[in-house]
Each structure stands twice: as C-alpha cells, then as structure tokens.
Amino acid sequence: MSASVWISQIKLISGIEINLEQNSIIVFVGPNNSGKSLILDELDRHIHRQISLPFRIVESVELKAKGTVDEFKETISHRMVDGQYRTIRERMNVSSDQIVRCWTNLLSGDIKENYYLAGFYTNSLTTLNRLNLVEPAGNLDFINELRTHPIHTIKEESHLELLFSKYFKIAFGEDVIVNHGAGNNIPLHIGNPPPITIENDRVSASYQKELRSLPQLHKQGDGMKSFAGVFLSLLAEKYFINLLDEPEAFLHPPQASLLAKMIAQNIGEGKQLFTSTHSEHFLKGLLDVASERLVIVRMERNTTVNNINILGNDEIREFSNESFLRHSNVLDGLFHKRVILVESDSDARFFSAIVNGIIKDGKMRSPDLLFVPTGGKHRFPIVIRALNRLSVPFKVVGDFDLYNNENPVKLMVEALDGDWSLLEADFKKIKKSIDEKRPELETAELKQEIEKIFTSFNDRIIPENKINDIKAALKRSSPWAQAKETGKAYLPSGEALIAFKKVQEYLARLNIHILEIGELESFDREFNEHGPKWVSRVLERDILNAPELEEARKFVKSKILSDYVSL
C-alpha cells in the first residue's frame, strides 16, 4: 500500500455536493465568466487552508488520505534537504515532526493544519505560470541539491524526456532535447536531435555546437510553450491533486485533443485532475481515453449566482456511446448560454446571420447562442436528451413537415417531460387533414409530366434544370410536399386550424418552434433555389432592411431572441 491524498467531496455554497473518486477527472465547463477559473482557485485555497478571504462558490472540501506516515514520507523523499522537506511553490520547509502530526490529522479528517502538507501533493497551474515553465532552469548539483523545477526531473529521468519529446513531436512535428551541457542553465531545444556516440556524448563540444544551433523552446510561440508547460507540470512531479486552468489555451483543435489524451493516459490511476476548458476538442480527447473517470460540471453565472449542474460518469458513458453525438458539435453547447437546434447547416447559417444582424443593429450584447444542425428532424429527440443530460438550455426550430410523422414530435415532447396525451388527438387531426388532401398531380398526371420532361432533351446526362423540374413535379404529387412549402396556409379552415394553434402553443412552451410558413425557403420565395444555394442568394440582401426578410426577422425576434430583445 502506498500513500495517497484525494478530494472525496466538494460542497458548494449553493448546497450542491460533488462526490469524487480517487482517480476522478473533473472538467468545469460553461460560458465565459461563469466561474470556471474561480472554482479552481477556491479549491486550491481550501486545500491550502487559505480561508481568510470569502468564498463565492466552494463552501468546503473534504480530503481523504490513505497510507502510513512513513509511506507518505517515501512519496516526498525527493523533497528532503538538510533534514527537512521543502515544497516547490511555497518554498516552505516542513520538519519531520510536522509531517507526522499533520499526516495523522489528515488521516482522521482534520485539515486545519493542511497548509504544511498541501504543497507536497497539490499542483495548481494557471495559463501564465505554465508558459514560464519552459524558461531555462538553473543548473544544480543533482546529488546534493533539491530539484526545484520540472526540467530538473526530465533531465535526470531520461524516459520522461523521451515521453515528452514523443507527444511534442506528434503535436508540432519537432523533438524536444534537454541541453545537458549549457553551463549555469538548462535550456530545452526543438528540432532533430544530434546523434549521440561514444566520442560525441551530450556534453562534448561537437554535440553541444550542433545542439545549440537548434531553436530554444522558450523562444517559440505560446502554443508550444503552453503544451510543454502542461506536460512538465503534470507529469514530471507526480502530484496527487492537479488543478489545471484552460489547458487548451493557444492550441489548435487537434493539439488540444492530443493534449487531453496525453494527460489522461499519463497522469496515473491514483491521481485527480481538476480542469476548466472552453474547448470541445479537449473534452472529446478526454472522452476518447478516460470516459470512465470523467465528471463534467457545467457552470453558468446568473447575476451573482453560480448555477451548477453535474454530469456523472454513468451519464457520460451513455453520451459517449452515441456515435452521432460524439462527432457532432453538440458538446460545444456546454460552452454557450443556449443552443438552437435546427435541421441542417443551411438553417444554422441563415438563422445565425439574421441573429447577428439584429444584435449588431440593436447594439446588444451577444446572447451567446450556438446553432447546432442535427442532420435531420429524426435526430431532434437524440440531441434533446443529450442536452438535457448536459443541462444546456436550448430551443428547437423545425420545418412544418414535422407534422407528417408522430414519432419525432412525440419523442421530443416526452424528452422534455411534456404530456403527449394532451397533444395526440390534435396532432393526428392536423396530419389527417393534409393526408386527405388531393395532390395537384395524381399518379397518371405525374407520369405524363415526367415523360414530358424527358422528351424535352436529348443529353446523355440529365441537365440540372431538368432534375429540378422532375423534383418540382414530384412535389406537386404529394400533399405533404406542398404543405411543407406553404405551411399553415395549406391547412383547411375549421377544426384543423384550431388544433394547429393548440399544438403550436403547447410546443412553444417546451421551446419547440415549428415554422408556420412551412420551411426555411418559404421566408423568401423570390429565389428558385434550395438549401445552401438559397441561403447564399438570400444573404446577399440587406438582412436588416430587405422587405422580403421581414417575416424571418419577426420569427427570430419572437422565437429565438425572445429572451433578449423587446418585441
């Protein structure tokens, strides 16, 4: 048995309790200014018993420890100098007697004097201090002097240098080499390492001349420095509790994902990681390799109150098993105040442009919305359940032909704790009223129409305009195709319209909005295009003033931005 320390419970001022395992990876997510960095700072202060200043989020932290005092002393034996143990961050000397007393208290749950021990097992890494970690470390006598920098560790432990270089090369295409012969300092170089031979070892003049011609890591960009700083801090010293703020800062998405995988694979089973992130790529990297250890805490600040929602490991495992969710941008919704679910990329692009125009014109603060295309209405229920599990507020915008099939709408309502029995009869009444409508073209008429189109050209490959003519004819043969283009106006007057109004109002209370005009293209029928081509043409207009887009602006203000604008 070896000694270990971990946070077993975090009690928040709001009354929420977060229970954790010894090897938990806890990720704090949420919109900007929601308190993610603050909660890391407050955890660090609680652990170090720096409690003179008030806390805004964390009320208390429960620590657990295991192992004898001798086993704990063994884990920090590399911290001993001149008969005392010295912490790196605080540069505090702690006597053996203090270690014995404080460790005994910690085993019993008493953390009043924990500031003597915290520096030996807790690591707190901000964006700024990890950039500075790649600065050359001062050289020292490795036999008689205490290591005070992670570079000292990787210089002494060559397997860590090789592991560091391996990941760095994957991320940036360059090796990292520790300079063993630079004199008073130990710089890190990047590039192709010079070959080492018996005659040409790491401190020989010829080796040093070649190595010193390579760029130094601390003179590179912030992305390289930040990536390296995370590795040096987390993996060189082996702390039990690690607090890491925005590890993906300055990194491109693939590098953020790689960094997450590197951390999860190498931090060790008995270690805890608490991290904040704005990156779905970093989060997906953790999901790929450590979903069984993951706890996601979503934070959102409402005036002076921090709203906290916890996604436990069982829910994360269920989420990660859904391939579509893992490869969509749904996870990105964790970092926004609200998600707007739409059917396609074209819908997302159009509504986003209208929203941005309205916000800019009104000189309003951004509502921090994320438009998420689901790839079809049949996926609405899947994404709704996922966003509910993630505790992300959302709205749904779908085409009129959602009324053509009970299942998507029923599943959406049930996922939102609605009562489908209150809607079922009216929903079926709407669908039946359209099903019973005679299409513009019946079977024989459709056949004649298509034959007429085919006889109008002799090309070996069907021209695109003829394909469009065939599609138009097929639409005229289906009442639902016409209903999707026309929307509410296609319904017969009387009971169907009354039922439609009731269903629409109920769905709106659940934040589900079905387009009454039919489909996206119904907002502007001047262009005979569909999908991306239609959006490109329409967005050439003056979004804020074009009369053709007045209905679109009204819809966006009343449904999507109703919480943010005065109508």
Side-chain angles (χ1 to χ4, degrees):
M1 177 178 175
S2 59
S4 184
V5 186
W6 67 97
I7 296 177
S8 61
Q9 185 184 84
I10 302 169
K11 187 173 182 180
L12 305 179
I13 291 173
S14 63
I16 293 174
E17 295 178 354
I18 306 174
N19 297 304
L20 303 170
E21 302 295 331
Q22 185 179 348
N23 68 341
S24 293
I25 296 175
I26 301 88
V27 186
F28 298 104
V29 300
N32 288 329
N33 302 313
S34 58
K36 300 185 294 297
S37 298
L38 178 61
I39 197 171
L40 291 174
D41 178 67
E42 291 192 358
L43 288 174
D44 188 55
R45 287 172 52 208
H46 272 291
I47 294 169
H48 284 80
R49 303 304 295 157
Q50 297 172 351
I51 56 177
S52 57
L53 295 175
F55 292 89
R56 287 167 43 190
I57 303 176
V58 181
E59 181 178 310
S60 63
V61 168
E62 182 178 306
L63 293 169
K64 284 191 176 179
K66 69 175 184 179
T68 66
V69 67
D70 288 336
E71 287 169 332
F72 180 67
K73 284 183 177 180
E74 177 62 27
T75 65
I76 62 172
S77 59
H78 61 293
R79 300 276 105 228
M80 177 177 277
V81 61
D82 298 330
Q84 291 192 318
Y85 299 87
R86 182 178 298 168
T87 62
I88 293 179
R89 188 174 82 180
E90 299 85 1
R91 298 185 182 276
M92 179 173 64
N93 291 331
V94 184
S95 70
S96 180
D97 289 342
Q98 287 173 315
I99 294 287
V100 172
R101 184 182 74 250
C102 295
W103 183 256
T104 303
N105 290 339
L106 183 58
L107 286 173
S108 67
D110 183 356
I111 64 172
K112 287 195 295 291
E113 292 187 287
N114 203 51
Y115 55 87
Y116 288 118
L117 295 183
F120 295 111
Y121 62 76
T122 305
N123 179 29
S124 181
L125 193 61
T126 66
T127 304
L128 180 60
N129 60 27
R130 69 172 176 264
L131 290 177
N132 294 329
L133 276 180
V134 299
E135 292 289 332
N139 220 332
L140 49 77
D141 179 348
F142 282 86
I143 302 299
N144 298 309
E145 292 183 285
L146 189 69
R147 300 175 186 176
T148 58
H149 196 286
I151 291 179
H152 295 151
T153 302
I154 65 169
K155 178 181 177 182
E156 278 295 282
E157 301 182 33
S158 57
H159 70 283
L160 288 178
E161 179 185 356
L162 293 174
L163 184 64
F164 179 21
S165 184
K166 167 191 167 184
Y167 281 107
F168 195 88
K169 189 166 187 175
I170 295 172
F172 300 101
E174 304 278 6
D175 283 295
V176 176
I177 311 103
V178 177
N179 191 326
H180 288 251
N184 292 331
N185 292 316
I186 310 172
L188 301 176
H189 296 267
I190 61 171
N192 294 321
I196 297 176
T197 64
I198 295 175
E199 298 81 12
N200 191 41
D201 62 22
R202 290 183 294 187
V203 294
S204 67
S206 57
Y207 179 92
Q208 279 292 310
K209 183 177 181 180
E210 192 172 348
L211 177 60
R212 294 183 192 191
S213 69
L214 297 178
Q216 293 184 340
L217 178 54
H218 70 282
K219 295 180 180 178
Q220 305 310 305
D222 286 346
M224 283 188 172
K225 292 193 291 186
S226 179
F227 187 97
V230 170
F231 181 95
L232 290 170
S233 178
L234 290 182
L235 303 180
E237 185 64 22
K238 302 293 186 183
Y239 292 98
F240 294 126
I241 299 172
N242 299 276
L243 309 171
L244 177 60
D245 193 18
E246 295 186 22
E248 77 285 354
F250 315 114
L251 297 177
H252 295 299
Q255 295 163 347
S257 179
L258 174 66
L259 180 65
K261 294 175 183 179
M262 179 194 79
I263 291 170
Q265 289 170 339
N266 292 283
I267 197 171
E269 275 296 313
K271 311 294 190 295
Q272 283 184 328
L273 171 68
F274 296 81
T275 184
S276 68
T277 183
H278 286 96
S279 169
E280 65 166 315
H281 302 282
F282 183 83
L283 191 54
K284 285 180 178 178
L286 293 177
L287 280 169
D288 284 342
V289 298
S291 61
E292 72 284 352
R293 300 174 62 180
L294 206 58
V295 175
I296 298 175
V297 180
R298 185 176 188 274
M299 308 178 66
E300 186 168 353
R301 187 171 177 79
N302 183 12
T303 59
T304 60
V305 178
N306 291 91
N307 297 319
I308 310 287
N309 290 283
I310 303 167
L311 193 65
N313 191 251
D314 290 341
E315 296 166 303
I316 290 171
R317 192 177 296 112
E318 181 184 351
F319 182 94
S320 63
N321 286 338
E322 176 59 60
S323 177
F324 162 71
L325 295 176
R326 292 186 65 173
H327 295 95
S328 70
N329 68 331
V330 172
L331 272 180
D332 207 15
L334 288 167
F335 311 104
H336 295 266
K337 289 188 178 295
R338 174 165 286 160
V339 165
I340 309 297
L341 298 181
V342 293
E343 295 184 31
S344 70
D345 291 322
S346 296
D347 294 19
R349 184 183 169 202
F350 175 76
F351 286 124
S352 179
I354 299 293
V355 165
N356 290 336
I358 292 171
I359 296 302
K360 184 177 179 180
D361 181 63
K363 297 180 176 58
M364 299 167 50
R365 290 180 57 188
S366 169
D368 193 14
L369 303 178
L370 174 70
F371 288 86
V372 173
T374 62
K377 54 181 63 64
H378 63 287
R379 287 201 174 116
F380 277 148
I382 299 171
V383 182
I384 285 172
R385 287 193 293 269
L387 292 174
N388 272 341
R389 291 200 297 271
L390 298 171
S391 302
V392 177
F394 62 90
K395 294 183 178 183
V396 181
V397 177
D399 291 341
F400 185 85
D401 61 347
L402 272 165
Y403 282 103
N404 191 21
N405 192 322
E406 178 180 308
N407 258 343
V409 181
K410 177 183 178 183
L411 294 173
M412 290 158 68
V413 169
E414 291 174 344
L416 294 168
D417 295 325
D419 187 346
W420 178 248
S421 67
L422 298 177
L423 298 181
E424 186 173 11
D426 286 321
F427 188 93
K428 289 180 175 178
K429 193 176 294 182
I430 298 165
K431 176 172 169 51
K432 183 180 178 183
S433 73
I434 296 175
D435 287 338
E436 292 178 345
K437 277 211 169 192
R438 181 184 181 278
E440 185 178 341
L441 296 178
E442 294 187 341
T443 304
E445 295 169 316
L446 174 63
K447 183 179 178 182
Q448 291 176 0
E449 188 79 14
I450 291 178
E451 286 176 347
K452 182 179 177 182
I453 294 171
F454 271 99
T455 58
S456 67
F457 67 91
N458 296 312
D459 306 61
R460 186 171 62 86
I461 298 174
I462 304 177
E464 186 175 352
N465 66 318
K466 298 302 179 181
I467 292 175
N468 291 334
D469 290 342
I470 293 171
K471 287 180 179 178
L474 289 171
K475 283 185 178 182
R476 292 163 59 202
S477 69
S478 166
W480 276 104
Q482 294 174 266
K484 183 176 180 178
E485 286 190 351
T486 313
K488 173 184 174 182
Y490 194 71
L491 291 172
S493 58
E495 290 186 359
L497 276 175
I498 295 171
F500 178 75
K501 181 180 179 182
K502 289 168 60 178
V503 174
Q504 288 285 92
E505 289 175 350
Y506 188 94
L507 294 178
R509 290 195 292 272
L510 296 177
N511 282 320
I512 300 172
H513 304 287
I514 298 178
L515 293 176
E516 294 191 1
I517 63 167
E519 59 183 342
L520 189 72
E521 290 79 2
S522 300
F523 281 121
D524 189 343
R525 282 293 174 192
E526 182 174 324
F527 302 115
N528 188 26
E529 306 280 3
H530 198 82
K533 290 183 178 180
W534 178 87
V535 173
S536 296
R537 294 286 302 278
V538 169
L539 293 186
E540 292 174 359
R541 295 192 188 279
D542 181 349
I543 290 175
L544 286 173
N545 299 301
E548 295 87 352
L549 295 179
E550 179 59 24
E551 284 301 312
R553 291 190 292 269
K554 285 182 179 178
F555 177 84
V556 167
K557 288 180 180 179
S558 64
K559 307 301 183 187
I560 296 177
L561 293 176
S562 57
D563 302 333
Y564 307 99
V565 301
S566 300
L567 303 179

